[in-house]
mmCIF file of all heavy atoms in Angstrom:
data_model
loop_
_atom_site.group_PDB
_atom_site.id
_atom_site.type_symbol
_atom_site.label_atom_id
_atom_site.label_comp_id
_atom_site.label_asym_id
_atom_site.label_seq_id
_atom_site.Cartn_x
_atom_site.Cartn_y
_atom_site.Cartn_z
ATOM 1 N N ARG A 95 19.722 13.860 -27.981
ATOM 2 C CA ARG A 95 19.723 13.880 -29.454
ATOM 3 C C ARG A 95 21.072 13.483 -30.042
ATOM 4 O O ARG A 95 21.143 13.048 -31.173
ATOM 5 C CB ARG A 95 19.298 15.274 -29.962
ATOM 6 C CG ARG A 95 17.797 15.481 -29.846
ATOM 7 C CD ARG A 95 17.388 16.892 -30.199
ATOM 8 N NE ARG A 95 17.796 17.828 -29.173
ATOM 9 C CZ ARG A 95 17.596 19.137 -29.233
ATOM 10 N NH1 ARG A 95 16.995 19.656 -30.280
ATOM 11 N NH2 ARG A 95 17.990 19.920 -28.253
ATOM 12 N N HIS A 129 14.256 11.309 -26.381
ATOM 13 C CA HIS A 129 14.280 11.504 -27.837
ATOM 14 C C HIS A 129 14.409 10.183 -28.606
ATOM 15 O O HIS A 129 13.717 9.980 -29.601
ATOM 16 C CB HIS A 129 15.404 12.461 -28.223
ATOM 17 C CG HIS A 129 15.487 12.684 -29.700
ATOM 18 N ND1 HIS A 129 14.468 13.272 -30.419
ATOM 19 C CD2 HIS A 129 16.442 12.344 -30.600
ATOM 20 C CE1 HIS A 129 14.796 13.308 -31.692
ATOM 21 N NE2 HIS A 129 15.990 12.744 -31.838
ATOM 22 N N ASP A 168 8.258 15.157 -39.185
ATOM 23 C CA ASP A 168 9.191 14.291 -39.914
ATOM 24 C C ASP A 168 8.933 12.837 -39.525
ATOM 25 O O ASP A 168 8.141 12.559 -38.616
ATOM 26 C CB ASP A 168 10.656 14.694 -39.638
ATOM 27 C CG ASP A 168 10.972 14.752 -38.153
ATOM 28 O OD1 ASP A 168 10.430 13.927 -37.401
ATOM 29 O OD2 ASP A 168 11.749 15.632 -37.751
ATOM 30 N N ASP A 217 5.514 17.288 -31.966
ATOM 31 C CA ASP A 217 6.921 16.891 -32.006
ATOM 32 C C ASP A 217 7.362 16.614 -30.580
ATOM 33 O O ASP A 217 6.740 17.102 -29.628
ATOM 34 C CB ASP A 217 7.774 18.007 -32.640
ATOM 35 C CG ASP A 217 9.024 17.457 -33.312
ATOM 36 O OD1 ASP A 217 9.331 16.253 -33.139
ATOM 37 O OD2 ASP A 217 9.707 18.218 -34.027
ATOM 38 N N ASP A 218 8.432 15.831 -30.436
ATOM 39 C CA ASP A 218 8.879 15.563 -29.066
ATOM 40 C C ASP A 218 9.549 16.802 -28.467
ATOM 41 O O ASP A 218 9.282 17.171 -27.327
ATOM 42 C CB ASP A 218 9.799 14.326 -28.992
ATOM 43 C CG ASP A 218 11.077 14.455 -29.805
ATOM 44 O OD1 ASP A 218 11.124 15.277 -30.737
ATOM 45 O OD2 ASP A 218 12.039 13.726 -29.518
ATOM 46 N N ILE A 219 10.394 17.463 -29.279
ATOM 47 C CA ILE A 219 11.149 18.624 -28.781
ATOM 48 C C ILE A 219 10.932 19.796 -29.733
ATOM 49 O O ILE A 219 10.948 19.620 -30.948
ATOM 50 C CB ILE A 219 12.668 18.305 -28.753
ATOM 51 C CG1 ILE A 219 12.956 17.101 -27.841
ATOM 52 C CG2 ILE A 219 13.488 19.521 -28.308
ATOM 53 C CD1 ILE A 219 14.371 16.545 -27.989
ATOM 54 N N ILE A 220 10.735 20.984 -29.179
ATOM 55 C CA ILE A 220 10.861 22.193 -29.993
ATOM 56 C C ILE A 220 12.032 22.978 -29.414
ATOM 57 O O ILE A 220 12.029 23.332 -28.234
ATOM 58 C CB ILE A 220 9.585 23.056 -29.982
ATOM 59 C CG1 ILE A 220 8.407 22.276 -30.591
ATOM 60 C CG2 ILE A 220 9.829 24.346 -30.773
ATOM 61 C CD1 ILE A 220 7.082 23.023 -30.574
ATOM 62 N N SER A 221 13.016 23.205 -30.248
ATOM 63 C CA SER A 221 14.192 23.938 -29.787
ATOM 64 C C SER A 221 14.199 25.323 -30.428
ATOM 65 O O SER A 221 13.646 26.267 -29.875
ATOM 66 C CB SER A 221 15.450 23.128 -30.131
ATOM 67 O OG SER A 221 16.600 23.813 -29.705
ATOM 68 N N THR A 222 14.739 25.444 -31.621
ATOM 69 C CA THR A 222 14.764 26.759 -32.294
ATOM 70 C C THR A 222 13.435 27.088 -32.973
ATOM 71 O O THR A 222 13.240 28.198 -33.457
ATOM 72 C CB THR A 222 15.846 26.788 -33.397
ATOM 73 O OG1 THR A 222 15.469 25.838 -34.421
ATOM 74 C CG2 THR A 222 17.216 26.434 -32.845
ATOM 75 N N GLY A 223 12.562 26.100 -33.074
ATOM 76 C CA GLY A 223 11.284 26.303 -33.753
ATOM 77 C C GLY A 223 11.397 26.201 -35.268
ATOM 78 O O GLY A 223 10.398 26.347 -35.984
ATOM 79 N N GLY A 224 12.602 25.926 -35.772
ATOM 80 C CA GLY A 224 12.825 25.873 -37.219
ATOM 81 C C GLY A 224 12.007 24.777 -37.895
ATOM 82 O O GLY A 224 11.397 25.013 -38.950
ATOM 83 N N THR A 225 11.991 23.601 -37.295
ATOM 84 C CA THR A 225 11.246 22.473 -37.873
ATOM 85 C C THR A 225 9.764 22.822 -37.967
ATOM 86 O O THR A 225 9.115 22.625 -38.987
ATOM 87 C CB THR A 225 11.433 21.209 -36.993
ATOM 88 O OG1 THR A 225 12.829 20.968 -36.853
ATOM 89 C CG2 THR A 225 10.737 20.000 -37.572
HETATM 90 C C1 R5P B 1 14.539 16.225 -33.943
HETATM 91 O O1 R5P B 1 14.823 15.081 -34.270
HETATM 92 C C2 R5P B 1 13.501 16.525 -32.939
HETATM 93 O O2 R5P B 1 12.490 15.568 -32.923
HETATM 94 C C3 R5P B 1 12.904 17.897 -33.176
HETATM 95 O O3 R5P B 1 12.216 17.881 -34.426
HETATM 96 C C4 R5P B 1 13.968 18.947 -33.229
HETATM 97 O O4 R5P B 1 14.768 18.851 -32.086
HETATM 98 C C5 R5P B 1 13.350 20.317 -33.309
HETATM 99 O O5 R5P B 1 14.364 21.263 -33.327
HETATM 100 P P1 R5P B 1 14.107 22.722 -33.819
HETATM 101 O O6 R5P B 1 12.967 23.286 -33.028
HETATM 102 O O7 R5P B 1 15.408 23.433 -33.544
HETATM 103 O O8 R5P B 1 13.814 22.663 -35.284
#
Side-chain angles (χ1 to χ4, degrees):
R95 283 174 288 178
H129 179 63
D168 53 36
D217 208 350
D218 61 339
I219 300 168
I220 298 178
S221 180
T222 65
T225 305

